[in-house]
Amino acid sequence: MITLRKEDGAADLAGISKLSVGVSWDPSAGTSGGLLGIARRKKGVDLDLVAILMQGAEPVRFAGLDSLDPLGNGSVVHTGDEQTGAATGDDETVHVTFGNVPTAIDAIIFVAAAFKKGTSFEKANNISFKVYDASGGSSSQVADIWPSLLGADNANAIARAFRNGPNWQLEVLDRKGKIKQGDMQALLRFAMA
């Protein structure tokens, strides 16, 4: 297993027919201890993993939030919105079956966002992104991506899977920014940058 970094450039995904990208996090109590801290951890924090499907420079569909199978053919599927970070293992996952992705889609950008009002990266601990080879019915982790989530930003374009001729490649973007919470258009514009 490797840790992918922005400096590494694009990784070839030849031989991987199904890719999964998962995010996990733990809720933080911030500086609150005692019963208030326990209550905040129990309530959790709602981060979101969104896969934005690109046609050239334009976002045309997304998987995440309430859109779980945006193409309707199972080629890009989101597991659903985990709202607390309390799940075991990955809290949210996107599965991509490359052979079923329409040829008009030439890239998929994976964005982590504190999308809902009142949420932030600062309220989460141990944020982790994992890349899996899910080809052939089994799933094995092949890489970690550890983006920087410091600062007041509430969105990070983590990685981009893109077509390179007949093959797909994956590159780490680690591009932070601020989006207006609850504004899907702002999230889509952020992915385009």
Side-chain angles (χ1 to χ4, degrees), residues 139-172:
S139 182
S140 61
Q141 184 178 350
V142 294
D144 283 314
I145 301 173
W146 296 343
S148 171
L149 298 176
L150 290 174
D153 297 319
N154 65 346
N156 191 317
I158 303 300
R160 177 177 77 112
F162 62 96
R163 291 184 194 270
N164 184 3
N167 298 319
W168 285 82
Q169 292 186 304
L170 182 73
E171 68 179 338
V172 173

Side-chain angles (χ1 to χ4, degrees), residues 82-95:
E82 163 57 44
Q83 298 183 358
T84 66
T88 301
D90 292 327
D91 292 297
E92 296 187 15
T93 305
V94 174
H95 304 286

Side-chain angles (χ1 to χ4, degrees), residues 35-46:
L35 291 176
L36 184 58
I38 292 168
R40 285 187 176 153
R41 278 191 299 274
K42 188 172 181 179
K43 180 181 175 193
V45 60
D46 186 7

